[in-house]
Amino acid sequence: MLYRITQSGHLLVDSYVDCDDLIDFILAKGYPEEFCLSLDFSHEFIDRLMKSGFLVMSTDIGEGCDSQVILMPKHHIMRTVLFFENLHIGKTVKRLLPKFELKSDADFDMFDTIVDRCIRTHGDDWLTVPLIDSIKNVRSDPQALTRPFSFALYNKSGNLAAGEFGIISGGVYTSYSGYYDESNAGRVQMILTALYLKEHGFAFWDLGMPLDYKYSLGAHDIDTKEFIRIFRDAQNIN
C-alpha cells in the first residue's frame, strides 16, 4: 500500500488503511516521527488503530473559524511497559494500600466520570471532544475490537481519591490518562491497578511514554519493534 507524506514529513492516513500493515510499514521504513496524522474520527477506525497498538491522540489546530481537530495516532519510539513479576511496591505505599479500595468497570461503571476528571485535571490539549466521543462510541459498540476501561480509587470515607482510564486490547491494558486528589493516592491507584491486571491474567501493562515515576514501579523501556511483537503475541489473551 502507498502512503501519503505531508510537507511536515508525517504519514497521512485514511480510515480504509490496514492498521497492522501501517505498523509494519513504519517499522520496515524506519519512520522517524512518532505521530501519524488523520482527519477521520470514526470510532471504527480509532478502534482498529488501538487494536494494532497505536496510542490514539488528537490536537486542535487554528483558532475560531479556522480551528480543526487532527487525529494523531502515536507509536512511541520507546515504550514503557510493566511486566508484573517486576512490580515494585515501596514500604510507604504498602502501608497505605489497606486505606483505599480500587474499583474497576467490572464492579461499577465510572468511565465517564473518570474521563471528565482527567480532562478537568490535565486539560483537553489532546483529549479533544471528537476523540473522547469516539472512544465512548467504541465503548458502547458490542462489536468493538478493544474496550475502553477505567479504574476508580476510593478512600475509607467512600470518596473518589484517584482514577485513570485506558484501553484493553487482548491481554494488554494501555494507560491513557489519570488523576489524583489526595497525597499518595495516585501511587496507590497504580499499584492496585497493576495487581488487578496481574490477577486477571493480563500479559503486561503498557504505560506509554517514558517518565521517571513509572520506573519506580518496576517498568522499563522497549523499542517499537519489540513492543509490537509482544503486543501482537498478547492479543489472544483475555
Side-chain angles (χ1 to χ4, degrees):
M1 181 178 289
L2 295 176
Y3 294 101
R4 291 176 289 170
I5 304 292
T6 67
Q7 289 185 343
S8 64
H10 292 87
L11 284 167
L12 183 63
V13 296
D14 297 309
S15 59
Y16 61 77
V17 70
D18 182 315
C19 297
D20 287 335
D21 182 78
L22 177 59
I23 284 284
D24 291 339
F25 176 84
I26 286 169
L27 295 178
K29 299 299 182 181
Y31 180 58
E33 304 292 340
E34 288 195 315
F35 292 101
C36 300
L37 304 179
S38 181
L39 298 177
D40 193 314
F41 279 85
S42 66
H43 81 273
E44 295 91 349
F45 179 42
I46 287 174
D47 184 33
R48 289 191 291 109
L49 285 166
M50 296 188 298
K51 183 64 175 177
S52 293
F54 284 99
L55 194 154
V56 183
M57 305 178 72
S58 61
T59 188
D60 192 346
I61 61 174
E63 295 182 2
C65 296
D66 295 326
S67 177
Q68 185 173 27
V69 182
I70 304 294
L71 190 70
M72 301 174 66
K74 185 175 185 180
H75 68 100
H76 294 276
I77 292 174
M78 296 299 295
R79 198 103 160 202
T80 304
V81 300
L82 175 65
F83 296 105
F84 303 115
E85 64 269 20
N86 297 329
L87 176 64
H88 174 72
I89 306 176
K91 292 181 180 179
T92 299
V93 175
K94 190 173 185 178
R95 289 195 297 267
L96 293 172
L97 296 183
K99 298 182 179 181
F100 295 90
E101 179 184 7
L102 183 76
K103 293 186 178 182
S104 73
D105 279 355
D107 304 311
F108 187 67
D109 188 354
M110 288 288 293
F111 187 81
D112 287 2
T113 298
I114 297 300
V115 170
D116 290 345
R117 293 295 296 271
C118 289
I119 293 173
R120 271 193 279 163
T121 300
H122 302 296
D124 60 356
D125 288 347
W126 70 273
L127 291 171
T128 61
V129 171
L131 177 59
I132 292 301
D133 285 348
S134 291
I135 288 175
K136 289 180 179 179
N137 286 335
V138 171
R139 180 173 168 81
S140 63
D141 184 350
Q143 303 301 317
L145 303 171
T146 64
R147 183 180 178 188
F149 201 80
S150 65
F151 294 94
L153 186 76
Y154 293 86
N155 60 25
K156 287 297 184 181
S157 299
N159 297 319
L160 195 57
E164 78 158 65
F165 79 95
I167 305 297
I168 292 174
S169 181
V172 181
Y173 172 69
T174 297
S175 288
Y176 265 52
S177 186
Y179 82 98
Y180 63 90
D181 285 335
E182 296 182 18
S183 178
N184 293 310
R187 179 55 59 89
V188 170
Q189 179 257 307
M190 294 192 74
I191 294 296
L192 292 179
T193 296
L195 293 174
Y196 174 96
L197 296 173
K198 178 181 180 181
E199 179 182 349
H200 286 79
F202 284 78
F204 62 91
W205 184 357
D206 170 21
L207 289 161
M209 67 185 296
L211 291 170
D212 287 344
Y213 76 89
K214 299 173 184 178
Y215 305 137
S216 64
L217 293 173
H220 69 276
D221 298 338
I222 57 176
D223 63 26
T224 303
K225 187 174 183 178
E226 176 63 11
F227 174 80
I228 292 301
R229 184 188 70 78
I230 63 174
F231 182 87
R232 287 175 174 174
D233 285 346
Q235 290 310 293
N236 292 324
I237 300 174
N238 286 341

